[in-house]
């Protein structure tokens, strides 16, 4: 994984704060035919729900792309979901 550990932990901390909202969100969008990859959509919606977009622009995008970030998100989601 290319993401720095401190950035990974920062995202994980913020995602954990809103983890309780994710099951209801997933339930609302699970049957939307426009969504091709529900798990990816949930990961990214969860990330955007943290309000870290400005932080990401400043701290992540100078050295990562969306594929790198998604790899980290997969790991974070595994850690946060039972």
């Amino acid at each position: 994984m290319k993401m720095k550990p401190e950035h990974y932990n920062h995202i994980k901390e913020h995602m954990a704060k809103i983890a309780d909202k994710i099951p209801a969100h997933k339930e609302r969008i699970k049957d939307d035919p426009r969504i091709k990859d529900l798990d990816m959509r949930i990961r990214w919606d969860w990330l955007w729900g943290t309000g870290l977009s400005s932080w990401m622009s400043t701290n992540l995008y100078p050295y990562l792309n969306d594929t790198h970030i998604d790899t980290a998100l997969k790991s974070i989601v595994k850690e946060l979901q039972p």
Side-chain angles (χ1 to χ4, degrees):
M1 182 178 327
K2 292 189 175 197
M3 185 178 289
K4 296 176 183 176
E6 60 270 22
H7 292 161
Y8 180 93
N9 290 328
H10 184 73
I11 292 170
K12 182 178 164 187
E13 177 184 312
H14 281 80
M15 287 177 71
K17 292 177 184 177
I18 61 169
D20 60 323
K21 298 177 186 202
I22 299 308
H25 176 61
K26 187 173 186 176
E27 187 63 30
R28 277 191 306 276
I29 68 169
K30 71 178 184 178
D31 295 322
D32 187 330
R34 298 170 297 172
I35 299 171
K36 303 300 179 208
D37 185 338
L38 181 61
D39 291 333
M40 180 184 276
R41 170 67 185 265
I42 292 298
R43 287 191 298 272
W44 283 89
D45 284 356
W46 194 347
L47 176 62
W48 294 124
T50 64
L52 291 175
S53 60
S54 292
W55 179 87
M56 290 172 52
S57 293
T58 302
N59 294 284
L60 300 183
Y61 283 110
Y63 75 102
L64 298 173
N65 63 39
D66 285 346
T67 303
H68 302 132
I69 295 168
D70 193 52
T71 299
L73 291 177
K74 287 177 188 176
S75 180
I76 290 169
V77 168
K78 282 182 186 176
E79 291 183 45
L80 294 179
Q81 288 184 333

